[in-house]
Amino acid sequence: MFQIPVENLDNIRKDLKGFDPGEKYFFNTSWGDISLWEPSGKKMRTKSTANVASKRPRRVIDLETKLKLIKDYEGGKSVMVIARQSGMSHSTIATILKNKNKVMEAVKGSASLKATRLTKIREGPISDMEELLMTWIKDQTQKRIPLSSMMITAKAKSLFAMLKEKAGSDYDVEFTASSGWFKRFKNRYSLHDVKVSGESANADVKAAEEFLETLDKLIVEENYLPEQIFNMDETSLFWKRMPEGTFIHKEAKSVLGFKAFKDKITVLVGANVAGYKLKPFVIWHSENPRAFKHISKHTLPVYYRSNKKSWMTQLLFQDALLNCYASEIETYCWENNIPFKILLIIANAPGHPPFVGDLHPNIKAVFFPPNTTSLIQPMDQGIIAAFKAYYLRRTFAQAIAATEEGTGKTLMQFWKDYNIYDCIKNLAWAWGDVSKECVNGIWKKTLKRFVHDFKGFAKDEEVAKINKAVVHMANNFNLGVDEDDIQELLELVPEEWTNVELLELEQECLAEEEAREKKTAGEEKELRRKFTVKGLSEAFADLSKLLKKFENMDPNTERFSLIERNVHGALSAYKEIYDEKKKQTKQTTMDVFLKRVTPPQ
């Protein structure tokens, strides 16, 4: 029990009647009851505290918010300022900062930024398996491939078997992918319902609606303009593939070059709300293709990079953002006389680094929630499908022109001669065919403002119209294709990553992260500042010389004396540091001297 003066508790005074406000009363609390006592010791009444004060609701803080708080603190804001701006208590902020290492480890461990619990980072094949499994799930989701719990657990077992074999015979842990593990796995990575029967079932409508509200609030608070809001997404393009069932496809199976029909490139495209399209970013397996001979890659109509698997990695995305798009967007902002302050909205894909928002001071990144991109990501609202259809139309138009030039070239010869340079030119042409109205229309499902006058993009109608034109051109060669064949070709997705490829991708990401941390550590080491006796001595010597020059020029001695005194006063803190360091240096020198001259006992 403990006693507290009642006059300090307004909510209790209002609830407990029948005492003189001029007197001092006390109450004892025990098991949720309040007993009111007079100063003489006489008990007046007992009141349950159930209705006196309600319990304060517990606030759940996700990883994304914790990262922002840590970033604000490291940026120079005090704990008190952060607490006031975030509406959290001082102790809550202090606890988050104290657990900074745990937060960063959780992010590195591929935890969702919306996760609210910091789970212990486990090591070994099971932990590695879960990270690879999450990479696979993200890739399948991005490709719109339906998933079920059975498919995920089967993949988990397959990955674990591979990792266990690599761990050696000493590792004897068994993994059965039980329902309990699957439930904990979903909680650890903040996965929603993964049982899917088509795209609509895969989409999290509630999460999408909540995200749109949060995004709109951010746009209003930060005062973003339509020109400052961008979306990017990558897609795979089988740049030399023909529709199944055509004679050219069947003939290609019997020749050595058939592997070219399965060759793909990854294309990153992006645009803003105002309709401005970013230059495509292309990834292929060859760093210096033979087709680029005598051609400077800087003069290509795309940004070109290479990766042995032709896939987007975190390092390549970082390269695209910092070395390509940052300067392009800055130039665009300057030409349109708007501030270089960008809001980038992207999917939480394996190739997108979670720290993307920290890469550039003028670019803020926001991730779409899991399983919502098909609903609200602009690039998923038909623009990529139209882009691929335009590419196919452009390529067939070239084929027709090439075979009608009187050279006797056949379609097969054209296709064999068709190289990555031709592909890139056609790709850039196709991206140029995507109209401003189309780019405007894809934002209608993402934003609550700026889009009211947009007509929207009729994806199915536009793509069907292009497909019809492609079928007409294709049948000039008697290929015998219809619109369904063309649509099937456009919707073709890359083969599922094998376990070995998943492991290679994870190792590549880890290597990139390690290289980034080493680079950051090196930069911090280079930028680390400290006072030295020599540096301070030189600075004060330079100051004396500077003041001497002013003294020699100033005819007013009194004025110079006042200025000299003020300058030395302003720098008094540095003078104290200098004196202290000189004192420490002299003491160290004296200690060393005494050690040398003191005779042995």
Side-chain angles (χ1 to χ4, degrees):
M1 289 188 179
F2 55 92
Q3 294 186 331
I4 300 177
V6 171
E7 69 266 24
N8 295 332
L9 303 171
D10 291 338
N11 58 332
I12 295 176
R13 290 177 61 197
K14 291 175 183 177
D15 194 67
L16 296 176
K17 308 296 183 181
F19 64 90
D20 185 356
E23 295 289 338
K24 274 197 174 182
Y25 293 82
F26 298 89
F27 72 84
N28 290 342
T29 62
S30 177
W31 298 100
D33 291 334
I34 295 178
S35 298
L36 191 63
W37 300 76
E38 294 181 356
S40 61
K42 179 182 178 182
K43 183 176 180 180
M44 289 183 61
R45 60 182 294 192
T46 300
K47 180 75 175 179
S48 172
T49 60
N51 298 321
V52 173
S54 60
K55 185 178 180 181
R56 186 177 180 179
R58 181 176 178 269
R59 181 172 180 178
V60 179
I61 309 171
D62 58 30
L63 269 180
E64 187 175 17
T65 303
K66 291 176 182 178
L67 282 173
K68 183 181 182 303
L69 297 175
I70 292 170
K71 183 179 177 181
D72 289 344
Y73 180 75
E74 292 177 343
K77 290 184 180 180
S78 66
V79 175
M80 186 175 296
V81 171
I82 297 173
R84 184 171 64 251
Q85 291 178 346
S86 64
M88 301 181 196
S89 67
H90 187 285
S91 60
T92 299
I93 303 298
T95 301
I96 292 172
L97 297 176
K98 181 181 177 181
N99 294 328
K100 173 189 171 182
N101 291 337
K102 291 183 179 180
V103 174
M104 303 311 293
E105 284 297 322
V107 174
K108 288 181 182 179
S110 299
S112 166
L113 290 180
K114 295 301 179 183
T116 57
R117 297 181 62 187
L118 300 183
T119 57
K120 182 180 179 181
I121 303 299
R122 299 174 298 157
E123 298 179 351
I126 292 183
S127 176
D128 295 340
M129 174 274 295
E130 289 188 355
E131 292 186 11
L132 295 178
L133 184 62
M134 270 307 301
T135 301
W136 175 78
I137 290 173
K138 288 179 181 179
D139 179 63
Q140 298 296 97
T141 302
Q142 192 176 24
K143 293 174 181 175
R144 307 288 174 267
I145 297 176
L147 292 176
S148 67
S149 58
M150 186 177 296
M151 292 170 63
I152 293 175
T153 52
K155 188 66 175 180
K157 291 177 182 178
S158 173
L159 288 169
F160 179 78
M162 176 192 69
L163 294 171
K164 183 178 180 180
E165 183 179 350
K166 289 182 176 293
S169 56
D170 293 338
Y171 188 80
D172 58 356
V173 176
E174 297 296 328
F175 173 72
T176 60
S178 65
S179 58
W181 164 82
F182 186 60
K183 182 178 180 181
R184 293 189 297 272
F185 170 72
K186 290 199 295 182
N187 290 335
R188 271 193 293 274
Y189 290 91
S190 297
L191 292 177
H192 296 278
D193 186 9
V194 295
K195 190 172 183 180
V196 181
S197 56
E199 183 175 296
S200 60
N202 189 37
D204 191 331
V205 177
K206 183 178 180 182
E209 292 174 349
E210 292 174 352
F211 175 79
L212 294 185
E213 293 293 338
T214 304
L215 179 63
D216 187 61
K217 183 179 179 182
L218 174 64
I219 291 172
V220 173
E221 290 177 350
E222 299 293 334
N223 198 27
Y224 283 108
L225 303 173
E227 294 82 1
Q228 297 171 322
I229 305 172
F230 283 80
N231 174 233
M232 296 178 188
D233 195 21
E234 60 264 16
T235 185
S236 295
L237 177 67
F238 291 89
W239 62 279
K240 205 169 181 177
R241 192 177 183 96
M242 288 291 288
E244 296 278 353
T246 61
F247 75 86
I248 190 170
H249 187 90
K250 293 175 181 177
E251 185 179 341
K253 287 184 178 181
S254 61
V255 300
L256 187 62
F258 177 63
K259 62 181 181 181
F261 276 59
K262 298 191 291 184
D263 195 9
K264 71 179 180 67
I265 59 175
T266 295
V267 187
L268 176 66
V269 291
N272 68 6
V273 181
Y276 175 75
K277 294 173 294 183
L278 296 169
K279 185 189 291 187
F281 185 93
V282 175
I283 306 169
W284 197 42
H285 61 74
S286 176
E287 183 177 0
N288 295 297
R290 187 182 303 173
F292 287 0
K293 190 176 182 180
H294 306 307
I295 297 172
S296 172
K297 284 185 278 190
H298 297 291
T299 63
L300 294 173
V302 301
Y303 302 114
Y304 182 84
R305 297 294 189 270
S306 62
N307 175 281
K308 63 181 181 179
K309 297 291 186 181
S310 300
W311 57 30
M312 175 65 76
T313 66
Q314 294 187 5
L315 188 62
L316 282 175
F317 190 90
Q318 184 174 339
D319 176 25
L321 187 64
L322 293 182
N323 300 322
C324 301
Y325 292 129
S327 58
E328 181 183 348
I329 295 173
E330 184 176 13
T331 301
Y332 167 79
C333 291
W334 181 81
E335 291 175 347
N336 287 273
N337 196 29
I338 58 175
F340 179 35
K341 183 183 74 170
I342 302 304
L343 177 62
L344 175 62
I345 316 171
I346 55 176
N348 189 12
H352 299 169
F355 50 83
V356 64
D358 299 325
L359 293 177
H360 197 286
N362 299 89
I363 301 176
K364 180 182 180 65
V366 176
F367 288 97
F368 287 106
N371 302 328
T372 61
T373 54
S374 63
L375 291 174
I376 57 177
Q377 175 165 244
M379 291 295 150
D380 271 356
Q381 305 309 313
I383 192 171
I384 288 179
F387 161 61
K388 288 182 177 181
Y390 284 132
Y391 170 81
L392 198 58
R393 185 180 70 177
R394 171 68 180 171
T395 306
F396 268 110
Q398 280 191 331
I400 292 174
T403 56
E404 291 179 349
E405 289 176 351
T407 60
K409 180 179 285 190
T410 65
L411 178 61
M412 176 59 79
Q413 289 172 327
F414 168 81
W415 220 250
K416 285 182 178 179
D417 294 339
Y418 189 75
N419 57 40
I420 189 66
Y421 180 57
D422 298 321
C423 162
I424 285 175
K425 289 188 294 183
N426 287 344
L427 183 150
W429 187 290
W431 187 235
D433 280 345
V434 177
S435 67
K436 180 180 178 180
E437 290 72 25
C438 168
V439 179
N440 290 149
I442 62 175
W443 288 91
K444 284 190 73 70
K445 295 183 179 181
T446 311
L447 302 179
K448 291 181 172 294
R449 58 193 67 245
F450 308 134
V451 296
H452 302 300
D453 297 330
F454 294 168
K455 296 180 179 178
F457 178 54
K459 178 188 73 171
D460 296 336
E461 295 178 12
E462 183 68 17
V463 173
K465 183 172 68 175
I466 304 169
N467 288 351
K468 190 173 182 179
V470 173
V471 168
H472 178 73
M473 288 186 283
N475 286 331
N476 284 337
F477 301 102
N478 298 317
L479 293 180
V481 299
D482 56 27
E483 293 179 29
D484 290 338
D485 296 322
I486 301 299
Q487 187 64 30
E488 183 180 349
L489 179 59
L490 294 177
E491 293 176 352
L492 190 67
V493 296
E495 295 178 358
E496 181 182 324
W497 283 340
T498 65
N499 292 349
V500 174
E501 286 177 330
L502 283 169
L503 188 58
E504 287 178 0
L505 179 61
E506 186 68 19
Q507 290 172 343
E508 193 169 337
C509 291
L510 290 174
E512 291 172 359
E513 177 66 18
E514 185 178 347
R516 191 179 77 90
E517 289 180 352
K518 286 182 178 179
K519 182 181 178 182
T520 303
E523 291 173 350
E524 289 178 352
K525 188 174 181 180
E526 290 176 6
L527 296 173
R528 193 174 295 145
R529 301 178 181 183
K530 64 177 181 179
F531 289 111
T532 62
V533 173
K534 181 181 178 182
L536 288 167
S537 176
E538 291 175 351
F540 280 115
D542 292 340
L543 178 64
S544 298
K545 292 178 183 178
L546 181 64
L547 289 173
K548 190 66 177 176
K549 288 183 179 181
F550 282 114
E551 183 181 15
N552 293 336
M553 291 186 291
D554 196 342
N556 189 329
T557 304
E558 183 179 0
R559 177 175 57 195
F560 172 76
S561 298
L562 177 62
I563 292 173
E564 182 182 30
R565 187 165 54 252
N566 289 337
V567 169
H568 283 293
L571 300 176
S572 60
Y574 290 153
K575 186 67 168 60
E576 291 175 6
I577 295 172
Y578 176 50
D579 293 339
E580 181 64 28
K581 286 196 168 289
K582 276 203 307 182
K583 181 180 177 181
Q584 292 174 357
T585 303
K586 288 179 180 179
Q587 183 63 45
T588 303
T589 305
M590 182 63 69
D591 291 342
V592 173
F593 174 75
L594 291 174
K595 286 180 181 179
R596 287 177 179 174
V597 301
T598 302
Q601 299 294 325

